[in-house]
Amino acid sequence: MKHWLLLGLALLTACGRGVPDGARVVVAGDSVMAWNRSSGQSLAGQLEARLGEPVGDVSLTLAKVAGGTGPLNIPNQLRGVSAQWIVLDGGANDLSGKCEAAEYTPILERLISKDGARGAIPALVSDLRGRGARVIWADYYTAPRYAGTGCEAPYDMLEERLARMAAADAGVTLVDMDAVFTPDDLTLFASDRMHPSPKGSALMADQIAPLLVR
């Protein structure tokens, strides 16, 4: 039953995915990016409203960076995509449920090394940069469901490694959503206390849109 529920959720959030001809901005990644798509208020929808232009969206719930098949793999989402800007996230589903160091350390290493130079994330970003795209990586906020628990640790480490990756390339920008999200403000989160509400997706767009202005 759980399998079918997850499949149904994935199919629901798949609606509206695609890249309009000539789109200079494309959003990719996992459910944080895809959430609120059915109401037109996902991150891509919010960016469209602010920029006044079509924004591509290939993000999908349950997608992973170093796992998943088809569009449930974030590098696959971006295969053949050419755009001036790629806005993405990733890693939460790779790390899902891994809150002990012995569990998450090898996964973090597969995603991105301590120096930010190696792993599935730097490989993806390097590939996008090689295609001429500039990359905005939206780092995760702390969700109320996990605030104050040991599950915060791997995401803090992920942020530190992403920051080192971004510091090494002027064409890569890390946007720290923890700087504007607070887990105490439940209006920013969906009822699951993990994904963004429409207000949360709007707040994400407020941080990213100014970076995309022509």
Side-chain angles (χ1 to χ4, degrees), residues 49-106:
R50 286 158 179 73
L51 298 173
E53 63 184 272
V55 172
D57 185 3
V58 295
S59 63
L60 193 62
T61 294
L62 306 178
K64 298 180 179 181
V65 177
T69 59
L72 292 179
N73 173 265
I74 295 171
N76 282 347
Q77 293 176 1
L78 291 162
R79 186 169 294 168
V81 171
S82 177
Q84 180 182 354
W85 290 93
I86 304 293
V87 181
L88 74 164
D89 73 348
N93 290 314
D94 301 77
L95 290 164
S96 181
K98 307 297 189 295
C99 301
E100 299 294 332
E103 296 178 311
Y104 64 68
T105 298

Short mmCIF file of all heavy atoms in Angstrom, two decimals, residues 49-106:
data_model
loop_
_atom_site.label_atom_id
_atom_site.label_comp_id
_atom_site.label_asym_id
_atom_site.label_seq_id
_atom_site.Cartn_x
_atom_site.Cartn_y
_atom_site.Cartn_z
N ALA A 49 6.33 34.14 -11.87
CA ALA A 49 5.57 35.34 -11.51
C ALA A 49 6.49 36.53 -11.26
O ALA A 49 6.16 37.67 -11.62
CB ALA A 49 4.73 35.05 -10.26
N ARG A 50 7.64 36.27 -10.67
CA ARG A 50 8.56 37.36 -10.36
C ARG A 50 9.36 37.82 -11.58
O ARG A 50 9.66 39.01 -11.71
CB ARG A 50 9.51 36.93 -9.23
CG ARG A 50 8.81 36.90 -7.87
CD ARG A 50 9.53 35.99 -6.89
NE ARG A 50 8.86 35.98 -5.58
CZ ARG A 50 7.71 35.38 -5.33
NH1 ARG A 50 7.09 34.72 -6.32
NH2 ARG A 50 7.16 35.42 -4.13
N LEU A 51 9.73 36.88 -12.42
CA LEU A 51 10.57 37.21 -13.57
C LEU A 51 9.77 37.63 -14.80
O LEU A 51 10.31 38.24 -15.72
CB LEU A 51 11.45 36.01 -13.93
CG LEU A 51 12.43 35.55 -12.85
CD1 LEU A 51 13.11 34.25 -13.28
CD2 LEU A 51 13.46 36.63 -12.54
N GLY A 52 8.50 37.25 -14.84
CA GLY A 52 7.66 37.57 -15.99
C GLY A 52 8.07 36.82 -17.24
O GLY A 52 7.96 37.36 -18.35
N GLU A 53 8.51 35.58 -17.08
CA GLU A 53 8.93 34.76 -18.21
C GLU A 53 8.76 33.29 -17.86
O GLU A 53 8.69 32.93 -16.69
CB GLU A 53 10.40 35.05 -18.55
CG GLU A 53 11.36 34.69 -17.42
CD GLU A 53 12.80 35.07 -17.73
OE1 GLU A 53 13.50 34.23 -18.34
OE2 GLU A 53 13.20 36.20 -17.37
N PRO A 54 8.69 32.42 -18.88
CA PRO A 54 8.54 30.99 -18.61
C PRO A 54 9.78 30.44 -17.90
O PRO A 54 10.91 30.82 -18.19
CB PRO A 54 8.40 30.36 -20.01
CG PRO A 54 8.02 31.49 -20.91
CD PRO A 54 8.66 32.71 -20.33
N VAL A 55 9.53 29.55 -16.95
CA VAL A 55 10.59 28.88 -16.21
C VAL A 55 10.39 27.38 -16.34
O VAL A 55 9.30 26.86 -16.06
CB VAL A 55 10.59 29.29 -14.72
CG1 VAL A 55 11.58 28.44 -13.92
CG2 VAL A 55 10.93 30.77 -14.58
N GLY A 56 11.41 26.67 -16.78
CA GLY A 56 11.33 25.22 -16.88
C GLY A 56 11.31 24.57 -15.51
O GLY A 56 11.85 25.12 -14.55
N ASP A 57 10.69 23.40 -15.43
CA ASP A 57 10.62 22.69 -14.15
C ASP A 57 10.66 21.19 -14.42
O ASP A 57 9.74 20.63 -15.01
CB ASP A 57 9.33 23.06 -13.42
CG ASP A 57 9.25 22.44 -12.02
OD1 ASP A 57 10.23 21.78 -11.61
OD2 ASP A 57 8.23 22.64 -11.35
N VAL A 58 11.74 20.53 -14.01
CA VAL A 58 11.88 19.08 -14.18
C VAL A 58 12.00 18.38 -12.84
O VAL A 58 12.31 17.19 -12.77
CB VAL A 58 13.08 18.74 -15.09
CG1 VAL A 58 12.84 19.25 -16.51
CG2 VAL A 58 14.39 19.31 -14.54
N SER A 59 11.78 19.11 -11.74
CA SER A 59 11.90 18.54 -10.40
C SER A 59 10.81 17.50 -10.15
O SER A 59 9.75 17.53 -10.78
CB SER A 59 11.81 19.65 -9.34
OG SER A 59 10.55 20.29 -9.38
N LEU A 60 11.09 16.59 -9.23
CA LEU A 60 10.14 15.51 -8.97
C LEU A 60 10.30 14.99 -7.54
O LEU A 60 11.42 14.77 -7.06
CB LEU A 60 10.36 14.37 -9.96
CG LEU A 60 9.27 13.30 -10.03
CD1 LEU A 60 7.94 13.91 -10.48
CD2 LEU A 60 9.67 12.20 -11.00
N THR A 61 9.18 14.79 -6.88
CA THR A 61 9.18 14.18 -5.55
C THR A 61 9.90 12.84 -5.57
O THR A 61 9.78 12.08 -6.53
CB THR A 61 7.72 13.99 -5.10
OG1 THR A 61 7.11 15.27 -4.93
CG2 THR A 61 7.65 13.23 -3.79
N LEU A 62 10.66 12.57 -4.52
CA LEU A 62 11.41 11.32 -4.31
C LEU A 62 12.72 11.26 -5.09
O LEU A 62 13.44 10.26 -5.00
CB LEU A 62 10.57 10.08 -4.64
CG LEU A 62 9.22 9.96 -3.94
CD1 LEU A 62 8.48 8.70 -4.41
CD2 LEU A 62 9.39 9.93 -2.44
N ALA A 63 13.06 12.30 -5.84
CA ALA A 63 14.28 12.27 -6.65
C ALA A 63 15.54 12.29 -5.78
O ALA A 63 15.57 12.92 -4.72
CB ALA A 63 14.31 13.44 -7.62
N LYS A 64 16.56 11.58 -6.24
CA LYS A 64 17.85 11.50 -5.56
C LYS A 64 18.96 12.01 -6.47
O LYS A 64 18.80 12.08 -7.69
CB LYS A 64 18.15 10.06 -5.16
CG LYS A 64 17.16 9.44 -4.20
CD LYS A 64 17.56 8.00 -3.87
CE LYS A 64 16.60 7.36 -2.88
NZ LYS A 64 17.01 5.97 -2.55
N VAL A 65 20.09 12.33 -5.86
CA VAL A 65 21.27 12.74 -6.64
C VAL A 65 22.05 11.52 -7.09
O VAL A 65 22.42 11.40 -8.26
CB VAL A 65 22.18 13.67 -5.83
CG1 VAL A 65 23.43 14.03 -6.64
CG2 VAL A 65 21.45 14.94 -5.41
N ALA A 66 22.30 10.60 -6.17
CA ALA A 66 23.16 9.45 -6.47
C ALA A 66 22.37 8.15 -6.56
O ALA A 66 22.93 7.06 -6.43
CB ALA A 66 24.25 9.32 -5.41
N GLY A 67 21.09 8.24 -6.77
CA GLY A 67 20.24 7.06 -6.89
C GLY A 67 19.01 7.42 -7.69
O GLY A 67 18.91 8.49 -8.27
N GLY A 68 18.04 6.50 -7.70
CA GLY A 68 16.82 6.74 -8.45
C GLY A 68 17.02 6.44 -9.93
O GLY A 68 18.13 6.47 -10.44
N THR A 69 15.92 6.14 -10.60
CA THR A 69 15.97 5.84 -12.03
C THR A 69 15.13 6.86 -12.79
O THR A 69 14.21 7.46 -12.24
CB THR A 69 15.45 4.43 -12.31
OG1 THR A 69 14.10 4.33 -11.84
CG2 THR A 69 16.31 3.38 -11.62
N GLY A 70 15.46 7.03 -14.06
CA GLY A 70 14.72 7.99 -14.88
C GLY A 70 14.72 9.36 -14.24
O GLY A 70 15.73 9.80 -13.69
N PRO A 71 13.57 10.06 -14.24
CA PRO A 71 13.51 11.40 -13.66
C PRO A 71 13.59 11.42 -12.14
O PRO A 71 13.65 12.50 -11.55
CB PRO A 71 12.16 11.94 -14.15
CG PRO A 71 11.33 10.72 -14.38
CD PRO A 71 12.29 9.68 -14.87
N LEU A 72 13.58 10.24 -11.51
CA LEU A 72 13.81 10.20 -10.07
C LEU A 72 15.29 10.29 -9.72
O LEU A 72 15.67 10.22 -8.56
CB LEU A 72 13.20 8.93 -9.46
CG LEU A 72 11.67 8.88 -9.48
CD1 LEU A 72 11.18 7.58 -8.89
CD2 LEU A 72 11.07 10.07 -8.72
N ASN A 73 16.11 10.45 -10.74
CA ASN A 73 17.54 10.75 -10.58
C ASN A 73 17.74 12.16 -11.09
O ASN A 73 17.42 12.46 -12.24
CB ASN A 73 18.38 9.75 -11.38
CG ASN A 73 19.85 10.11 -11.38
OD1 ASN A 73 20.33 10.76 -12.30
ND2 ASN A 73 20.57 9.70 -10.36
N ILE A 74 18.26 13.04 -10.24
CA ILE A 74 18.34 14.46 -10.60
C ILE A 74 19.25 14.72 -11.80
O ILE A 74 18.90 15.51 -12.68
CB ILE A 74 18.72 15.30 -9.36
CG1 ILE A 74 17.59 15.21 -8.33
CG2 ILE A 74 18.98 16.77 -9.73
CD1 ILE A 74 17.91 15.79 -6.97
N PRO A 75 20.43 14.08 -11.91
CA PRO A 75 21.21 14.26 -13.13
C PRO A 75 20.43 13.86 -14.39
O PRO A 75 20.54 14.52 -15.44
CB PRO A 75 22.43 13.36 -12.91
CG PRO A 75 22.61 13.36 -11.43
CD PRO A 75 21.21 13.33 -10.88
N ASN A 76 19.60 12.81 -14.29
CA ASN A 76 18.78 12.41 -15.44
C ASN A 76 17.75 13.47 -15.79
O ASN A 76 17.42 13.66 -16.97
CB ASN A 76 18.06 11.09 -15.15
CG ASN A 76 18.97 9.89 -15.29
OD1 ASN A 76 20.07 9.97 -15.82
ND2 ASN A 76 18.51 8.75 -14.79
N GLN A 77 17.21 14.15 -14.78
CA GLN A 77 16.24 15.22 -15.04
C GLN A 77 16.83 16.26 -15.99
O GLN A 77 16.11 16.85 -16.80
CB GLN A 77 15.84 15.91 -13.73
CG GLN A 77 15.04 15.07 -12.77
CD GLN A 77 14.79 15.81 -11.46
OE1 GLN A 77 15.20 16.98 -11.29
NE2 GLN A 77 14.11 15.16 -10.52
N LEU A 78 18.12 16.48 -15.84
CA LEU A 78 18.79 17.57 -16.58
C LEU A 78 19.51 17.10 -17.83
O LEU A 78 20.17 17.89 -18.49
CB LEU A 78 19.76 18.29 -15.64
CG LEU A 78 19.06 19.09 -14.54
CD1 LEU A 78 20.02 19.42 -13.41
CD2 LEU A 78 18.47 20.37 -15.13
N ARG A 79 19.37 15.84 -18.16
CA ARG A 79 20.02 15.32 -19.36
C ARG A 79 19.45 16.01 -20.59
O ARG A 79 18.24 16.04 -20.81
CB ARG A 79 19.82 13.81 -19.46
CG ARG A 79 20.58 13.16 -20.61
CD ARG A 79 20.55 11.65 -20.48
NE ARG A 79 21.29 11.22 -19.29
CZ ARG A 79 21.25 9.98 -18.81
NH1 ARG A 79 20.47 9.07 -19.38
NH2 ARG A 79 21.96 9.67 -17.73
N GLY A 80 20.29 16.60 -21.39
CA GLY A 80 19.87 17.28 -22.60
C GLY A 80 19.30 18.67 -22.39
O GLY A 80 18.94 19.34 -23.35
N VAL A 81 19.22 19.13 -21.14
CA VAL A 81 18.68 20.46 -20.85
C VAL A 81 19.77 21.51 -21.04
O VAL A 81 20.88 21.37 -20.54
CB VAL A 81 18.13 20.52 -19.41
CG1 VAL A 81 17.76 21.96 -19.04
CG2 VAL A 81 16.93 19.61 -19.26
N SER A 82 19.43 22.55 -21.75
CA SER A 82 20.35 23.66 -21.96
C SER A 82 19.66 24.94 -21.54
O SER A 82 18.58 25.27 -22.04
CB SER A 82 20.76 23.74 -23.44
OG SER A 82 21.59 24.85 -23.68
N ALA A 83 20.23 25.65 -20.59
CA ALA A 83 19.64 26.89 -20.10
C ALA A 83 20.73 27.75 -19.51
O ALA A 83 21.81 27.27 -19.15
CB ALA A 83 18.57 26.60 -19.04
N GLN A 84 20.44 29.05 -19.43
CA GLN A 84 21.42 29.98 -18.85
C GLN A 84 21.59 29.73 -17.36
O GLN A 84 22.70 29.82 -16.83
CB GLN A 84 20.95 31.42 -19.08
CG GLN A 84 21.89 32.47 -18.52
CD GLN A 84 21.36 33.88 -18.73
OE1 GLN A 84 20.34 34.09 -19.38
NE2 GLN A 84 22.03 34.86 -18.13
N TRP A 85 20.49 29.40 -16.69
CA TRP A 85 20.50 29.18 -15.25
C TRP A 85 19.83 27.86 -14.91
O TRP A 85 18.75 27.56 -15.41
CB TRP A 85 19.73 30.29 -14.52
CG TRP A 85 20.39 31.64 -14.54
CD1 TRP A 85 20.17 32.64 -15.44
CD2 TRP A 85 21.34 32.14 -13.61
NE1 TRP A 85 20.93 33.74 -15.12
CE2 TRP A 85 21.67 33.46 -14.00
CE3 TRP A 85 21.95 31.61 -12.46
CZ2 TRP A 85 22.57 34.25 -13.30
CZ3 TRP A 85 22.85 32.39 -11.77
CH2 TRP A 85 23.16 33.70 -12.18
N ILE A 86 20.47 27.08 -14.04
CA ILE A 86 19.86 25.88 -13.47
C ILE A 86 19.74 26.11 -11.96
O ILE A 86 20.74 26.38 -11.29
CB ILE A 86 20.69 24.62 -13.74
CG1 ILE A 86 20.94 24.43 -15.25
CG2 ILE A 86 19.99 23.40 -13.12
CD1 ILE A 86 19.71 24.13 -16.06
N VAL A 87 18.53 26.01 -11.44
CA VAL A 87 18.27 26.16 -10.02
C VAL A 87 17.90 24.77 -9.49
O VAL A 87 16.95 24.15 -9.98
CB VAL A 87 17.11 27.14 -9.77
CG1 VAL A 87 16.85 27.30 -8.27
CG2 VAL A 87 17.39 28.49 -10.42
N LEU A 88 18.63 24.27 -8.52
CA LEU A 88 18.36 22.92 -8.07
C LEU A 88 18.73 22.69 -6.61
O LEU A 88 19.38 23.50 -5.98
CB LEU A 88 19.07 21.90 -8.96
CG LEU A 88 20.58 21.71 -8.83
CD1 LEU A 88 21.00 20.41 -9.51
CD2 LEU A 88 21.35 22.86 -9.46
N ASP A 89 18.28 21.55 -6.12
CA ASP A 89 18.66 21.06 -4.81
C ASP A 89 18.86 19.56 -4.94
O ASP A 89 18.79 19.01 -6.03
CB ASP A 89 17.60 21.41 -3.75
CG ASP A 89 16.33 20.57 -3.88
OD1 ASP A 89 16.15 19.88 -4.91
OD2 ASP A 89 15.50 20.61 -2.96
N GLY A 90 19.09 18.89 -3.82
CA GLY A 90 19.22 17.44 -3.85
C GLY A 90 20.04 16.92 -2.68
O GLY A 90 20.83 17.65 -2.08
N GLY A 91 19.80 15.66 -2.37
CA GLY A 91 20.53 15.00 -1.30
C GLY A 91 19.64 14.52 -0.18
O GLY A 91 19.99 13.57 0.53
N ALA A 92 18.47 15.15 0.02
CA ALA A 92 17.61 14.78 1.14
C ALA A 92 17.11 13.35 1.02
O ALA A 92 17.06 12.62 2.02
CB ALA A 92 16.43 15.74 1.25
N ASN A 93 16.73 12.94 -0.19
CA ASN A 93 16.24 11.57 -0.35
C ASN A 93 17.37 10.55 -0.30
O ASN A 93 17.14 9.40 0.07
CB ASN A 93 15.45 11.45 -1.66
CG ASN A 93 14.14 12.21 -1.59
OD1 ASN A 93 13.40 12.11 -0.62
ND2 ASN A 93 13.86 13.01 -2.60
N ASP A 94 18.57 10.97 -0.66
CA ASP A 94 19.73 10.09 -0.49
C ASP A 94 19.99 9.84 0.99
O ASP A 94 20.34 8.74 1.41
CB ASP A 94 20.97 10.71 -1.13
CG ASP A 94 20.82 10.97 -2.61
OD1 ASP A 94 20.14 11.98 -2.96
OD2 ASP A 94 21.33 10.20 -3.42
N LEU A 95 19.82 10.91 1.79
CA LEU A 95 20.12 10.84 3.23
C LEU A 95 18.91 10.43 4.06
O LEU A 95 19.04 10.25 5.27
CB LEU A 95 20.59 12.21 3.72
CG LEU A 95 21.96 12.67 3.25
CD1 LEU A 95 22.13 14.17 3.49
CD2 LEU A 95 23.06 11.89 3.97
N SER A 96 17.76 10.28 3.46
CA SER A 96 16.51 10.09 4.18
C SER A 96 16.59 9.02 5.26
O SER A 96 16.97 7.87 5.00
CB SER A 96 15.41 9.71 3.19
OG SER A 96 14.18 9.53 3.85
N GLY A 97 16.23 9.43 6.48
CA GLY A 97 16.19 8.50 7.59
C GLY A 97 17.53 8.13 8.17
O GLY A 97 17.61 7.32 9.11
N LYS A 98 18.61 8.72 7.65
CA LYS A 98 19.95 8.39 8.15
C LYS A 98 20.39 9.49 9.12
O LYS A 98 20.84 10.56 8.70
CB LYS A 98 20.94 8.29 6.99
CG LYS A 98 20.50 7.34 5.87
CD LYS A 98 20.38 5.91 6.35
CE LYS A 98 20.17 4.94 5.20
NZ LYS A 98 18.89 5.14 4.50
N CYS A 99 20.24 9.24 10.41
CA CYS A 99 20.53 10.26 11.41
C CYS A 99 21.71 9.91 12.30
O CYS A 99 22.08 10.69 13.19
CB CYS A 99 19.29 10.51 12.28
SG CYS A 99 17.84 11.05 11.33
N GLU A 100 22.29 8.74 12.09
CA GLU A 100 23.48 8.33 12.85
C GLU A 100 24.71 8.46 11.96
O GLU A 100 24.66 8.16 10.76
CB GLU A 100 23.34 6.89 13.33
CG GLU A 100 22.15 6.64 14.24
CD GLU A 100 22.28 7.36 15.58
OE1 GLU A 100 23.44 7.59 16.00
OE2 GLU A 100 21.25 7.70 16.19
N ALA A 101 25.81 8.93 12.54
CA ALA A 101 27.02 9.18 11.76
C ALA A 101 27.46 7.98 10.94
O ALA A 101 27.89 8.11 9.79
CB ALA A 101 28.15 9.64 12.67
N ALA A 102 27.35 6.80 11.51
CA ALA A 102 27.78 5.59 10.80
C ALA A 102 26.94 5.35 9.56
O ALA A 102 27.40 4.75 8.59
CB ALA A 102 27.68 4.38 11.73
N GLU A 103 25.69 5.84 9.56
CA GLU A 103 24.80 5.66 8.42
C GLU A 103 24.98 6.74 7.37
O GLU A 103 25.05 6.46 6.17
CB GLU A 103 23.34 5.66 8.89
CG GLU A 103 22.95 4.52 9.80
CD GLU A 103 21.51 4.64 10.25
OE1 GLU A 103 21.10 5.73 10.69
OE2 GLU A 103 20.79 3.62 10.14
N TYR A 104 25.06 8.02 7.82
CA TYR A 104 25.06 9.09 6.83
C TYR A 104 26.45 9.45 6.30
O TYR A 104 26.56 10.02 5.21
CB TYR A 104 24.36 10.34 7.35
CG TYR A 104 24.98 11.05 8.54
CD1 TYR A 104 26.20 11.70 8.45
CD2 TYR A 104 24.31 11.12 9.75
CE1 TYR A 104 26.74 12.38 9.52
CE2 TYR A 104 24.84 11.80 10.84
CZ TYR A 104 26.05 12.42 10.72
OH TYR A 104 26.60 13.10 11.79
N THR A 105 27.50 9.14 7.02
CA THR A 105 28.84 9.53 6.57
C THR A 105 29.19 8.97 5.19
O THR A 105 29.63 9.73 4.30
CB THR A 105 29.91 9.13 7.59
OG1 THR A 105 29.66 9.82 8.82
CG2 THR A 105 31.30 9.49 7.09
N PRO A 106 29.00 7.67 4.92
CA PRO A 106 29.33 7.17 3.58
C PRO A 106 28.43 7.76 2.48
O PRO A 106 28.89 7.94 1.34
CB PRO A 106 29.15 5.65 3.70
CG PRO A 106 28.30 5.44 4.90
CD PRO A 106 28.61 6.57 5.82
#
